[in-house]
Amino acid sequence: MSQVFSQVVIKAPANQVWEALVDSGRFSQWLPDAVKLDSLVELGGGSSTPKYFHYDLYSTVKEQTTQLETGRSYSYVVSNIGPIKSAYSSLSLSDSEAGTVLSHTVNFRMKYGPLGAMAGSLVFRSQFRKQMEASLGALKKFMETREGTSSHPETQYAEAA
């Protein structure tokens, strides 16, 4: 299994960062095009309900929530991602003097045995890191400037009172 970690400090209250992070209806405002979410269908209710995403680069991806502490942390497993057998992703928020610290860790397992593990170490780890850093950077920019990747003024977040 390979692991990738990224972290960013966002000058915004944790509750606002959390709302942007978990509101799938607003992903298009801050997610870079490389990880654009085309559609989201939630089946049923509850925190452990699978969600199915369709990304430009892959077929349908299944996400299963494994841990949720509202306002603080969210972990999930995704499967069916091309050559990636599964990926466990964990996002957490903590307070600091500089703002809200958002940490993102991904542990992933490749398909295709030793050859897949080598590809994971040589190729996919750096791709995950780039994607994570781009996503966290985009969220930071959105939260601090309210300038997203697309213009949807009707869904912009209200400034903190």
Side-chain angles (χ1 to χ4, degrees):
M1 184 173 288
S2 295
Q3 184 179 74
V4 182
F5 176 81
S6 189
Q7 190 174 65
V8 67
V9 177
I10 301 173
K11 295 177 185 170
N15 65 327
Q16 288 183 5
V17 175
W18 178 260
E19 288 174 21
L21 190 62
V22 299
D23 184 350
S24 61
R26 296 184 179 175
F27 286 170
S28 65
Q29 292 180 299
W30 59 270
L31 274 176
D33 289 338
V35 291
K36 182 180 176 196
L37 182 63
D38 286 335
S39 63
L40 168 67
V41 177
E42 293 192 51
L43 305 175
S47 64
S48 63
T49 302
K51 299 173 189 170
Y52 296 87
F53 298 90
H54 179 77
Y55 291 92
D56 289 339
L57 301 175
Y58 305 108
S59 61
T60 301
V61 175
K62 179 182 176 184
E63 174 191 308
Q64 178 74 44
T65 301
T66 59
Q67 182 270 333
L68 175 65
E69 183 182 342
T70 302
R72 286 291 162 200
S73 64
Y74 174 58
S75 299
Y76 58 94
V77 174
V78 292
S79 55
N80 190 30
I81 312 171
I84 300 167
K85 185 175 184 176
S86 63
Y88 175 81
S89 186
S90 179
L91 297 127
S92 64
L93 300 175
S94 60
D95 297 317
S96 78
E97 289 182 19
T100 300
V101 178
L102 173 57
S103 302
H104 189 188
T105 304
V106 174
N107 293 295
F108 64 97
R109 184 165 285 149
M110 301 294 294
K111 296 176 185 175
Y112 313 118
L115 184 60
M118 187 169 31
S121 293
L122 297 175
V123 178
F124 285 91
R125 183 179 295 156
S126 65
Q127 293 301 319
F128 268 131
R129 183 171 288 113
K130 287 178 189 175
Q131 183 180 24
M132 288 166 63
E133 289 172 355
S135 295
L136 295 183
L139 179 58
K140 175 182 174 71
K141 179 180 178 184
F142 174 73
M143 294 303 302
E144 292 178 358
T145 67
R146 301 298 191 238
E147 295 176 11
T149 60
S150 61
S151 178
H152 300 288
E154 69 279 3
T155 59
Q156 293 293 317
Y157 288 94
E159 294 295 328

